[in-house]
Amino acid sequence: MKFNVLFLFLFIFLINNKLFSFQEKSTNITYDSIAKTVFFYSKKRDNKKALFYSKKMLQKSLNNKNEKQKAESYYRIAQFQRKLRANDSAFYFYNKSKELYRQQNDSIQIARCLRDIAIIESSYGNYINSNISAINGLEYLKGRNASAIASIYNTLAINSKKQNLFKQAIYNYKQALTFISSTKGNIVIKNNMANVYKEQKEYSKSISILEELLKGDITSQKSKARIIDNLAHIKWLNNPNINILKDLLLAKSIRVKEKDTYGLIASYSHLSDFFYKKNRSKSLFYADKMYEVSKKEKSPQDQIEAIDKIVGLQTPQKSINYYKESIRLRDSLQEVESKHQYKFATIKYNYEEEEKQKLKFQTLARENILVAEKEKSQKKNVLIIGFLSISSLLFLIYRRKEQHKKRILQENYNTETRIAKKLHDELGNDIFNTLTKVQNTKINTEEIINDLDKIYLQTRAISHENDSIETGSNFENYFRNLVASYNSDACKIILKDLSSLDLNNLNKSKQIVMYRVFNELFVNMKKHSQASLVVLSCKKTNHNLEINYADNGVGFKDNTIIFKNGLKNMETRIKTINGTINFENKPNKGLKVYIHFKN
């Protein structure tokens, strides 16, 4: 019986495909028949084919010269592009659809376009524009279409949460709940609210929401596992002594059964955290599992989080490869994000320019018609051609200037983002600790001064790290300036035979690595060594460059080298140019560093 039903379904499916294939070849294929095909593939979640036929819908609507069909086609194309994660292109087509719906005064569809535009803008971190689009969508809806309103408030809440505006996020989630009618939507919103309360460390409120959800009827096993896992983890955050292992394992087992790989990443993360102080081998086991799954799912952010856990559990020697992978992933993630941001900005800019150009040419066309009707003489025609030529030239000049401004703004934005991240990650904790000490009357002034000096050194290091490096024929003088910036009465730096290295003729990549490595070395010297004298000895033999660093500082304790982030970064950078770096340490007798690479 089951075989007959399956055969019948397959037969109907093949007939449908053959029928549409026949229709497609026919010139009489209708817009509605293509739309039904799009709906069919959408239900099958075959987004590529759904997008393919959505474009055929657009072509048919253009042939029909039907503006309503064209608006719907643009919207369908945008929907499937977003599902295929082509958000930049989806943004373009949502805007095209929105403008056509605006001409038709279809406020509901305008609001839906604005809602989806707001979601895309939020995904690119453009929260201000996202909020503007979302609020405009609410104004068009005027209380109609509850599901769209709930979705817009959910987007506003996400924007608030990502900006750490937690009270505003809770407000928007509560607004969304007033418009939610489905059980599934209610679960999503309340789970999001619980996560916001977790961020605020209001664990009791978060626990209360999740426990209430578990009492309800949850049909989706993935949702159930997410709630069980979140609830257990938040209970543990509230009380690290509570045993939540049973619930964590239950959530994991459900996710394994449901093949919820993204959910498994969260489960393995929470299990690793739970065992961190109880059983480090199990903690490492789950951190490794988290890394494996996140790597399989090509989720670099989760890979980085897993690597951070592994590094904290492994010995320095075993962690070296993970350090390298972490650096590579962070650089890759930043590069991809920058490319996505730039592509999105370019499409947004091009769309706006396209609309301006369209309006401009429409205006020019109307003017030309009036001129043609009034004056048909050759003289007037020549004047019109001249006017159009000058306008086109001015437009090209204006467009080039705007593109140049856009590139400058994008470069400034990327630099500001990178510096802001370093200020948050590297200086945030030290500033907070220093402020705490200042408020404690028992802490002596010298300790606070030392902390402030450390913060100053970190700030200067970030400044050096984010400065553009002058490479080429003046690099030796530029490098000498770096050395001079760390030279002081408290610590003298002596350079020996630097000119013998012929630094100005090194290739650009090696000049950059050398500058970054010695900047990192000088920062560590200032922060930790207490040295009063540093000597850099330079030597060149054939094509081999040798630079030896020596100071009279305190060295490392217990005659061991501690590979913290700074020293590890130095080693990684040197290896990128096929060089070597070795450390020789004598406690209380200083540190020696030997660097070799080919010119």
Side-chain angles (χ1 to χ4, degrees):
M1 180 65 180
K2 288 183 179 180
F3 176 82
N4 291 336
V5 172
L6 182 61
F7 180 79
L8 180 61
F9 176 82
L10 182 61
F11 177 77
I12 293 172
F13 173 72
L14 291 172
I15 288 297
N16 282 338
N17 278 358
K18 289 289 184 182
L19 178 61
F20 187 79
S21 177
F22 171 78
Q23 287 178 326
E24 193 172 11
K25 295 175 183 176
S26 170
T27 57
N28 296 323
I29 182 174
T30 65
Y31 176 87
D32 289 338
S33 64
I34 304 174
K36 288 177 182 178
T37 305
V38 171
F39 179 77
F40 172 75
Y41 284 116
S42 174
K43 284 294 182 182
K44 285 184 62 182
R45 298 185 179 179
D46 190 341
N47 296 317
K48 288 185 178 180
K49 285 190 177 179
L51 175 60
F52 174 81
Y53 287 108
S54 295
K55 291 178 179 179
K56 288 192 173 293
M57 282 175 63
L58 175 60
Q59 187 59 50
K60 192 66 179 179
S61 68
L62 292 171
N63 294 339
N64 295 342
K65 297 181 180 180
N66 188 314
E67 295 299 299
K68 185 175 180 180
Q69 290 178 354
K70 195 187 335 181
E72 182 185 9
S73 300
Y74 280 136
Y75 187 78
R76 293 298 177 201
I77 290 171
Q79 274 188 315
F80 296 114
Q81 283 178 327
R82 185 154 72 92
K83 288 180 180 180
L84 292 167
R85 299 183 181 179
N87 283 341
D88 38 22
S89 299
F91 176 86
Y92 174 84
F93 283 102
Y94 277 131
N95 273 293
K96 297 281 284 184
S97 179
K98 179 192 67 177
E99 293 307 315
L100 288 174
Y101 280 127
R102 185 171 282 159
Q103 293 172 19
Q104 299 163 34
N105 295 318
D106 190 337
S107 57
I108 296 293
Q109 282 301 125
I110 294 171
R112 284 176 175 165
C113 290
L114 286 167
R115 172 199 62 191
D116 296 326
I117 289 169
I119 292 171
I120 292 173
E121 289 171 327
S122 176
S123 71
Y124 282 105
N126 196 345
Y127 305 123
I128 294 175
N129 284 349
S130 177
N131 287 341
I132 291 171
S133 298
I135 291 168
N136 286 340
L138 289 175
E139 290 175 354
Y140 273 103
L141 287 171
K142 295 179 181 179
R144 299 169 296 167
N145 199 304
S147 62
I149 295 173
S151 179
I152 289 174
Y153 273 118
N154 184 55
T155 301
L156 289 168
I158 291 170
N159 291 345
S160 299
K161 181 187 175 186
K162 288 181 177 178
Q163 297 175 91
N164 294 327
L165 303 173
F166 297 124
K167 289 185 179 179
Q168 187 64 35
I170 292 297
Y171 169 80
N172 286 322
Y173 279 133
K174 287 182 177 178
Q175 289 294 107
L177 282 174
T178 62
F179 293 94
I180 286 287
S181 57
S182 68
T183 303
K184 181 180 178 180
N186 185 68
I187 291 172
V188 170
I189 297 297
K190 286 188 175 180
N191 189 66
N192 290 345
M193 283 181 65
N195 285 330
V196 174
Y197 282 127
K198 180 181 74 173
E199 293 292 333
Q200 292 178 289
K201 296 187 178 180
E202 294 188 34
Y203 300 127
S204 58
K205 290 183 179 179
S206 184
I207 291 169
S208 176
I209 290 172
L210 295 174
E211 286 181 338
E212 180 188 349
L213 286 176
L214 281 179
K215 292 177 183 177
D217 183 22
I218 304 173
T219 56
S220 170
Q221 290 298 302
K222 287 185 180 180
S223 296
K224 187 175 183 179
R226 185 187 306 117
I227 295 169
I228 293 171
D229 187 60
N230 281 348
L231 178 58
H233 186 245
I234 294 168
K235 283 181 177 180
W236 178 72
L237 290 174
N238 188 43
N239 180 8
N241 296 320
I242 191 172
N243 188 355
I244 44 86
L245 179 59
K246 181 179 178 182
D247 290 333
L248 290 177
L249 293 174
L250 174 61
K252 179 183 75 72
S253 65
I254 294 173
R255 283 165 165 167
V256 169
K257 184 178 180 181
E258 294 293 317
K259 297 181 181 179
D260 181 8
T261 50
Y262 278 102
L264 276 172
I265 292 172
S267 280
Y268 290 139
S269 174
H270 293 162
L271 282 163
S272 180
D273 291 342
F274 174 76
F275 280 113
Y276 184 77
K277 291 184 178 179
K278 296 179 175 66
N279 188 325
R280 291 176 71 84
S281 62
K282 285 189 177 181
S283 180
L284 178 60
F285 170 79
Y286 286 115
D288 284 332
K289 295 290 286 184
M290 179 185 178
Y291 178 70
E292 289 174 11
V293 177
S294 58
K295 190 173 183 180
K296 182 180 178 182
E297 292 299 319
K298 297 180 181 179
S299 175
Q301 200 65 55
D302 291 316
Q303 288 179 59
I304 291 170
E305 183 183 340
I307 287 172
D308 288 342
K309 293 179 188 294
I310 292 169
V311 167
L313 294 161
Q314 286 278 28
T315 62
Q317 290 77 10
K318 291 183 178 180
S319 299
I320 185 169
N321 290 330
Y322 288 105
Y323 270 121
K324 292 178 183 177
E325 180 66 6
S326 179
I327 291 171
R328 187 193 68 78
L329 284 170
R330 291 177 200 275
D331 291 344
S332 175
L333 197 61
Q334 186 174 349
E335 182 181 351
V336 169
E337 181 64 22
S338 297
K339 286 181 179 178
H340 284 176
Q341 290 282 358
Y342 179 76
K343 189 177 180 183
F344 172 70
T346 302
I347 284 182
K348 184 176 180 180
Y349 173 78
N350 288 341
Y351 170 77
E352 291 170 354
E353 286 300 306
E354 182 182 315
E355 292 302 309
K356 289 178 184 177
Q357 186 178 2
K358 187 189 298 182
L359 181 62
K360 183 176 180 179
F361 282 121
Q362 286 173 350
T363 304
L364 287 173
R366 286 193 292 268
E367 290 176 355
N368 290 340
I369 291 172
L370 289 173
V371 172
E373 289 176 350
K374 291 178 181 179
E375 301 289 341
K376 295 183 179 180
S377 65
Q378 187 66 32
K379 184 178 179 181
K380 289 291 183 182
N381 290 335
V382 171
L383 289 174
I384 291 170
I385 293 170
F387 173 75
L388 288 173
S389 299
I390 293 171
S391 298
S392 299
L393 180 61
L394 291 173
F395 174 77
L396 288 173
I397 294 171
Y398 169 78
R399 184 173 182 182
R400 285 188 177 182
K401 287 183 178 179
E402 289 300 308
Q403 287 175 336
H404 179 66
K405 289 179 183 178
K406 191 67 180 177
R407 284 195 297 270
I408 293 174
L409 287 172
Q410 185 65 35
E411 289 170 3
N412 290 341
Y413 173 79
N414 291 338
T415 301
E416 289 168 359
T417 301
R418 184 174 64 254
I419 294 173
K421 187 176 187 303
K422 281 191 169 290
L423 289 174
H424 179 271
D425 293 346
E426 297 182 19
L427 292 181
N429 289 336
D430 287 343
I431 292 173
F432 177 80
N433 292 334
T434 304
L435 289 173
T436 303
K437 289 180 180 180
V438 169
Q439 295 171 355
N440 188 344
T441 57
K442 295 180 181 180
I443 301 296
N444 61 54
T445 305
E446 183 178 352
E447 185 175 345
I448 294 173
I449 291 173
N450 290 336
D451 287 347
L452 290 173
D453 185 59
K454 180 182 176 183
I455 291 171
Y456 166 73
L457 289 173
Q458 285 179 298
T459 306
R460 189 169 73 171
I462 292 173
S463 175
H464 278 301
E465 185 176 343
N466 289 281
D467 281 345
S468 60
I469 296 175
E470 182 178 337
T471 58
S473 60
N474 197 37
F475 176 70
E476 182 176 326
N477 288 333
Y478 188 71
F479 182 76
R480 288 181 184 274
N481 289 336
L482 170 68
V483 176
S485 70
Y486 286 95
N487 200 359
S488 66
D489 293 336
C491 181
K492 295 293 184 181
I493 302 177
I494 299 173
L495 274 173
K496 295 178 65 178
D497 301 324
L498 180 66
S499 298
S500 68
L501 300 181
D502 195 17
L503 295 181
N504 291 337
N505 290 321
L506 282 178
N507 67 43
K508 180 179 178 181
S509 61
K510 291 181 180 178
Q511 287 178 344
I512 292 172
V513 167
M514 182 174 171
Y515 186 91
R516 293 294 189 207
V517 165
F518 278 95
N519 180 56
E520 194 81 57
L521 192 56
F522 290 143
V523 169
N524 277 280
M525 176 270 292
K526 283 287 188 182
K527 287 168 63 177
H528 304 299
S529 74
Q530 302 175 26
S532 61
L533 179 64
V534 175
V535 178
L536 287 185
S537 302
C538 307
K539 181 180 178 182
K540 181 177 180 181
T541 306
N542 295 328
H543 296 291
N544 296 311
L545 302 187
E546 178 181 331
I547 309 171
N548 298 330
Y549 166 98
D551 68 36
N552 62 348
V554 297
F556 295 99
K557 294 181 181 180
D558 301 325
N559 197 27
T560 57
I561 299 295
I562 302 173
F563 285 89
K564 293 188 178 178
N565 288 338
L567 300 183
K568 178 50 58 185
N569 286 342
M570 289 163 55
E571 185 177 51
T572 301
R573 292 185 195 278
I574 286 293
K575 286 187 177 181
T576 63
I577 59 172
N578 296 319
T580 62
I581 182 169
N582 296 299
F583 300 88
E584 182 181 311
N585 176 58
K586 293 181 180 180
N588 299 317
K589 292 185 179 181
L591 172 69
K592 292 183 179 179
V593 182
Y594 305 98
I595 297 174
H596 298 81
F597 60 93
K598 292 186 177 182
N599 65 355

